[in-house]
Amino acid sequence: MNKLRNFFWWCSGANKSILEKCPTEHEKYFGIGGTVFFTGLFAVISGSYALYFVFNDLYSMQRIISSILFGLIYGSMIFNLDRWIVSSMKKGKNRLAIIRLFLAAIIAFVISKPLELQIFHTSVEYEIENMKQKDIKYKEDALINPLKNDISELESQISNLNKEISEKAKVRDNLISEANGEWDASKGTHVFGNGPVFKKKQSDADRVQKELDEINARNLPLIDKLQKELIAKRDSVKSLSQSVKSKKRGNYDGLDKRINPKRIFKVNNYVILPEGY
């Protein structure tokens, strides 16, 4: 107990030899020293926690060691500064008291933010994952949308070429049907046999068939070429999509994305996350 008392006295910046002669001041400086010590301790914890997210690009063990090391340096600085302020304060002079209040506000912010992040860590992780997925989608669209436009254009060209063939084939089929109707007297003039109307219908059907053959000769090789281009574009889209999704991303674990005060709101005792953050 004496060692703890002496340690807290030292933390308060008091002179031990003088303080031992003043028993009424023992508890006062014991409490002051405890306050200074725990201020530094909480500064170490909060600083290490915050710096853990600053060193998010390091390997796991390096990240832990670095955050603890710099947290100890930060906590030591706060401890010594607070100890100096407390030991330098005198009755009737408030300048150092104002400085200590200002320091206390900074320390409270540094301590409270990591605590807030830990309390809401599930919601924060959920939002960070949403941000990650939105960024993946954005980058994927930036790469793939031009290819998708090319795919749409190729599909439209193929569709138009096939449409031209099918429409011409439909005209040919209608003329053949009309010619056959004239032949068996089921349509048209209802005169059975090889009459002039039949010959006209048959001649029109033969003419359209030649036009269809020309269209096929022109369109089918082009359709085949466009189909190959379309397959290549679709393969490129698939490859790029897999590449974007498989790319390692380590920049979503940063302190800036966790500490933003706009992220978390409380409505009717439920934690919600703003859309589009």
Side-chain angles (χ1 to χ4, degrees), residues 5-116:
R5 182 195 63 186
N6 292 335
F7 175 69
F8 280 176
W9 282 357
W10 174 79
C11 291
S12 69
N15 188 311
K16 180 182 176 183
S17 60
I18 296 175
L19 191 59
E20 286 178 342
K21 298 176 183 179
C22 305
T24 57
E25 300 293 314
H26 287 186
E27 296 300 325
K28 173 184 175 181
Y29 282 92
F30 181 85
I32 292 174
T35 301
V36 172
F37 170 74
F38 284 108
T39 299
L41 178 62
F42 280 117
V44 170
I45 295 172
S46 61
S48 298
Y49 187 84
L51 289 166
Y52 179 79
F53 297 104
V54 173
F55 299 114
N56 60 329
D57 291 331
L58 298 178
Y59 292 107
S60 179
M61 188 55 64
Q62 292 177 330
R63 187 179 183 185
I64 293 173
I65 293 173
S66 299
S67 61
I68 292 175
L69 177 62
F70 283 95
L72 287 170
I73 294 173
Y74 170 76
S76 299
M77 181 194 70
I78 294 295
F79 172 80
N80 282 295
L81 181 60
D82 197 27
R83 182 172 178 268
W84 172 76
I85 292 174
V86 169
S87 63
S88 301
M89 289 177 65
K90 296 179 181 179
K91 292 183 177 180
K93 294 188 177 182
N94 297 323
R95 185 172 58 185
L96 289 176
I98 294 173
I99 295 175
R100 191 165 193 270
L101 286 174
F102 179 72
L103 177 63
I106 295 175
I107 296 171
F109 175 81
V110 175
I111 291 174
S112 64
K113 277 300 174 181
L115 183 62
E116 175 188 316

Side-chain angles (χ1 to χ4, degrees), residues 155-218:
E155 289 175 340
S156 178
Q157 291 179 26
I158 292 171
S159 176
N160 290 336
L161 292 172
N162 283 322
K163 184 179 179 181
E164 186 180 8
I165 293 173
S166 63
E167 287 179 349
K168 186 62 69 172
K170 185 177 180 180
V171 173
R172 187 265 327 262
D173 293 340
N174 288 336
L175 290 171
I176 291 175
S177 176
E178 291 177 3
N180 291 336
E182 287 293 337
W183 175 263
D184 59 15
S186 61
K187 294 180 180 179
T189 60
H190 298 284
V191 177
F192 182 80
N194 188 8
V197 177
F198 166 76
K199 291 180 180 180
K200 178 65 170 59
K201 297 290 185 182
Q202 187 64 48
S203 175
D204 290 340
D206 292 340
R207 175 180 52 80
V208 173
Q209 179 62 54
K210 289 180 181 179
E211 294 174 357
L212 178 60
D213 292 339
E214 292 174 359
I215 292 173
N216 283 331
R218 182 179 68 248

